[in-house]
Amino acid sequence: MPSLAQRPIGVFDSGIGGLTVTRALMERLPFEDIVYFGDTARVPYGVKSVATIEQFSLQMVDFLLRHEVKMLVIACNTIAAVADAKVRAHAGIPVLDVIDAGSRNAVTATRSRSIGVMATPTTVNSNAYARGIHALDAEMRVYSQACPLLVPLVEEGWLEHPVTRLTAQEYLKPVLAEGVDTLVLGCTHYPLLKPLLAELAGPSVALVDSAVSVAEQAARTLAELDLATPNREMAHYRYYVTDIPLRFQTVGERFLGRSLQHLEMVQL
Amino acid sequence: MPSLAQRPIGVFDSGIGGLTVTRALMERLPFEDIVYFGDTARVPYGVKSVATIEQFSLQMVDFLLRHEVKMLVIACNTIAAVADAKVRAHAGIPVLDVIDAGSRNAVTATRSRSIGVMATPTTVNSNAYARGIHALDAEMRVYSQACPLLVPLVEEGWLEHPVTRLTAQEYLKPVLAEGVDTLVLGCTHYPLLKPLLAELAGPSVALVDSAVSVAEQAARTLAELDLATPNREMAHYRYYVTDIPLRFQTVGERFLGRSLQHLEMVQL
């Protein structure tokens, strides 16, 4: 019987965005098994109410708990913003999330103590990044910008398109006007826009990638709790989704940065 | 007990886009009661698989049948494109849909026999407009363009924004290059972009609005089947949705062109 440490990490998201988090975990923790769950039949969560997001999230948590994961990673800013407390209360195992991890890295990175946050409307309206950052340092100034169009632009694959550039400029203008020196990419889709956003924001602004942040935190947490796998064989990855739409494989592999195998469709 | 003709019309959509169809029905048939159902907890359908869209659609149909509607209007191009046969087989009452109605009007409108169709990727990939148009006239030439960004742009309210203009130009370019004289707005969100699209397409291109088309067809069908209401009092409108997200009221009223009352959230 495998030890607790040999169990997989459970990662979940409303859709495929969490694959950027999975990718960061694979790169940081190459021997850890991962079970991914994406609620692709009901994506996106960013336009849904809090009660609905909570309900859907706990359904995913129960699914992953049945797969005996040792730790949960909320790889979705919307879920982390509005349902993290419910998930933590329900899970009974360590739970990490992209907002907590991104907030910590932003506070560490800033010199001017002015942080910008780009995210979906629900994440911005939840005020979760501002709360996360202020819990660490109440003196920080936080400027948030809702960017509802960036997710569809990324999924369209227009990563360097003039429309994406114009849209990103529009969203960045008010944030940069506040003189931030640190910009949190508060949505798991945005790492694919990092080159464009870095160019538009300029060299004086540090970009904080929540996916990379939570992978670093996962490595620390597993070490602290003595839960890091002793395995040194090739890790196993499984992907469960509630729907496999057209172009899923293509878009998923763009997010994951590698081929997407062992994909299974399930109903919640 | 009310007669069959006094029963409401049932209108359903994956979300709020169908409110543009509801608006067209209200304007064309001001005495008809309407029950609207929008699956806002699981919107959008355009990125989901056929099996999932069929399953979700039949759940909405069952809900409306329990509300004793006399006719169903599929106010969603994605559902009409991939699940119309299932809905018709299941319903047992007359079923109209935006694709059939839009196809008929496009064939009537064109002189050059070259028709352009703008729609979501799922609608385009389903080839439903081309099939609908060719069923009426096999000699028609149909040029379809998937426009995945127009829905989020409309929901953002950027109806005249430079980004929307640039995006629409990008999508229109290949269609206009084919010399079409008729352009079908094959998504219920697009009527809000009619002024912009009309300007970009120019006066030689006729725009066919599927919402208006299906409302005209509803009026004809009710008259033919002797199902038009004899009521001459103010019509009753009820709206059921599976989620009431932030800004729903604002966005919904923009689509509906009037205040949105008697809204209720239900679970399927």
Side-chain angles (χ1 to χ4, degrees):
Chain A
M1 194 179 149
S3 72
L4 198 58
Q6 287 174 295
R7 292 182 178 180
I9 299 172
V11 182
F12 66 105
D13 177 35
S14 55
I16 54 170
L19 291 175
T20 61
V21 174
T22 306
R23 176 186 192 161
L25 283 165
M26 289 167 169
E27 287 169 3
R28 184 66 187 77
L29 296 164
F31 299 113
E32 296 289 346
D33 292 346
I34 297 176
V35 182
Y36 182 85
F37 196 99
D39 192 8
T40 44
R42 303 188 293 200
V43 75
Y45 283 13
V47 294
K48 304 189 205 306
S49 68
V50 170
T52 296
I53 296 167
E54 286 177 347
Q55 185 200 349
F56 290 179
S57 299
L58 293 189
Q59 289 172 351
M60 287 196 274
V61 169
D62 283 335
F63 180 93
L64 289 170
L65 291 176
R66 286 198 295 277
H67 282 71
E68 303 206 312
V69 296
K70 63 183 171 186
M71 182 165 81
L72 285 172
V73 176
I74 305 178
C76 170
N77 284 272
T78 302
I79 298 174
V82 304
D84 67 313
K86 291 259 182 203
V87 169
R88 274 176 231 277
H90 188 76
I93 54 173
V95 177
L96 306 185
D97 76 81
V98 279
I99 290 186
D100 177 62
S103 298
R104 287 177 193 280
N105 274 14
V107 168
T108 308
T110 184
R111 294 289 161 264
S112 68
R113 309 171 70 77
S114 285
I115 299 170
V117 177
M118 305 180 77
T120 64
T122 303
T123 301
V124 167
N125 286 313
S126 74
N127 216 25
Y129 271 102
R131 273 189 284 118
I133 292 166
H134 287 144
L136 298 165
D137 185 337
E139 301 295 308
M140 292 282 167
R141 290 176 297 280
V142 181
Y143 303 99
S144 298
Q145 174 64 43
C147 310
L149 291 165
L150 296 187
V151 166
L153 285 165
V154 167
E155 294 194 348
E156 177 77 321
W158 286 11
L159 305 183
E160 302 276 354
H161 192 282
V163 163
T164 312
R165 181 175 289 267
L166 192 58
T167 304
Q169 280 172 329
E170 186 94 352
Y171 289 147
L172 279 171
K173 208 184 300 167
V175 184
L176 295 179
E178 298 290 348
V180 305
D181 73 342
T182 301
L183 192 61
V184 179
L185 308 186
C187 171
T188 53
H189 278 61
Y190 301 172
L192 285 90
L193 297 174
K194 227 190 297 189
L196 177 66
L197 294 173
E199 181 205 324
L200 294 174
S204 60
V205 176
L207 297 193
V208 171
D209 179 338
S210 297
V212 170
S213 304
V214 82
E216 287 166 7
Q217 199 185 22
R220 282 197 306 275
T221 304
L222 290 181
E224 282 164 20
L225 300 177
D226 213 13
L227 280 175
T229 185
N231 294 346
R232 287 300 174 265
E233 293 147 36
M234 196 128 79
H236 296 91
Y237 305 126
R238 278 171 295 163
Y239 307 91
Y240 297 95
V241 290
T242 49
D243 192 28
I244 303 181
L246 221 68
R247 292 174 59 229
F248 181 88
Q249 197 81 18
T250 315
V251 179
E253 293 183 350
R254 191 188 304 144
F255 279 60
L256 198 59
R258 66 177 74 195
S259 78
L260 208 166
Q261 292 164 333
H262 306 296
L263 173 69
E264 196 178 319
M265 188 171 140
V266 294
Q267 284 207 328
L268 280 185
Chain B
M1 195 177 150
S3 71
L4 198 58
Q6 288 174 293
R7 292 182 179 180
I9 299 172
V11 182
F12 65 104
D13 177 36
S14 55
I16 54 171
L19 291 175
T20 61
V21 174
T22 306
R23 176 186 192 161
L25 284 165
M26 289 168 169
E27 287 167 4
R28 185 64 188 78
L29 295 164
F31 300 113
E32 296 289 346
D33 294 344
I34 297 175
V35 182
Y36 183 85
F37 196 99
D39 192 8
T40 45
R42 303 188 292 199
V43 75
Y45 282 13
V47 294
K48 303 190 206 307
S49 68
V50 171
T52 297
I53 295 167
E54 286 177 347
Q55 184 200 349
F56 290 179
S57 299
L58 293 189
Q59 290 171 352
M60 287 195 275
V61 169
D62 284 334
F63 180 92
L64 289 169
L65 290 176
R66 286 197 296 277
H67 282 72
E68 304 207 312
V69 296
K70 63 183 171 186
M71 183 167 79
L72 285 172
V73 177
I74 304 179
C76 169
N77 284 272
T78 302
I79 298 173
V82 304
D84 68 312
K86 291 258 182 206
V87 168
R88 273 175 231 275
H90 187 77
I93 54 174
V95 177
L96 306 185
D97 75 81
V98 280
I99 289 185
D100 177 61
S103 299
R104 286 177 193 280
N105 274 12
V107 168
T108 308
T110 184
R111 294 289 161 264
S112 70
R113 309 171 70 76
S114 285
I115 299 170
V117 178
M118 306 179 77
T120 64
T122 302
T123 301
V124 168
N125 286 313
S126 75
N127 216 27
Y129 272 101
R131 274 189 285 120
I133 290 165
H134 288 144
L136 298 165
D137 185 338
E139 302 295 308
M140 292 281 167
R141 290 175 298 279
V142 181
Y143 304 98
S144 299
Q145 174 65 44
C147 311
L149 291 165
L150 295 187
V151 166
L153 284 164
V154 167
E155 294 195 347
E156 176 79 321
W158 286 10
L159 305 182
E160 302 278 353
H161 193 282
V163 162
T164 312
R165 181 173 288 266
L166 192 58
T167 304
Q169 280 171 329
E170 186 94 353
Y171 289 147
L172 279 171
K173 208 184 301 167
V175 184
L176 296 178
E178 298 290 347
V180 306
D181 72 343
T182 301
L183 193 60
V184 180
L185 308 185
C187 170
T188 53
H189 279 60
Y190 302 173
L192 284 90
L193 297 174
K194 227 190 297 190
L196 177 66
L197 294 173
E199 181 204 325
L200 294 175
S204 61
V205 176
L207 298 193
V208 170
D209 179 337
S210 297
V212 171
S213 304
V214 82
E216 287 165 7
Q217 199 184 23
R220 281 196 306 275
T221 304
L222 290 180
E224 283 165 19
L225 300 178
D226 213 13
L227 280 175
T229 185
N231 294 345
R232 287 300 174 265
E233 293 147 36
M234 195 128 78
H236 296 91
Y237 305 126
R238 278 170 295 162
Y239 307 91
Y240 296 95
V241 290
T242 48
D243 191 29
I244 302 181
L246 221 68
R247 292 174 59 230
F248 180 88
Q249 197 81 18
T250 315
V251 179
E253 292 182 352
R254 191 189 302 144
F255 278 60
L256 198 59
R258 65 177 73 194
S259 78
L260 208 165
Q261 292 162 336
H262 307 295
L263 174 69
E264 195 179 319
M265 188 170 139
V266 294
Q267 285 207 328
L268 280 184

